[in-house]
Amino acid sequence: MGGILIITGAVSVGLYAFEAWSVAGAADQSIVFWMLPFLLGGLLLIGFGVTLLVFWRLLAKAESER
């Protein structure tokens, strides 16, 4: 589950970065502002996915030590 969240977040951040790069020289760069939820949501998904993976590993380690 954590890996899926990380991949989805990375795709979202990558989409935002591509769009920001593609309009870098344009006069109207409002699309970068309107796509800000892609960046923020992607970063949130990556952070949540990493947190889930860390907790999952800690839980597995605690179970194996029993």
Side-chain angles (χ1 to χ4, degrees):
M1 180 70 178
I4 294 171
L5 291 174
I6 293 171
I7 291 170
T8 305
V11 168
S12 180
V13 170
L15 177 66
Y16 178 82
F18 174 76
E19 197 62 41
W21 176 75
S22 66
V23 298
D28 182 21
Q29 296 183 355
S30 64
I31 188 70
V32 176
F33 173 75
W34 291 111
M35 288 190 68
L36 201 56
F38 281 93
L39 176 64
L40 299 177
L43 292 175
L44 183 70
L45 285 173
I46 291 170
F48 190 60
V50 168
T51 303
L52 277 178
L53 282 178
V54 167
F55 283 149
W56 188 267
R57 301 270 176 163
L58 289 174
L59 181 64
K61 184 179 177 184
E63 287 291 323
S64 68
E65 290 178 355
R66 254 199 240 182

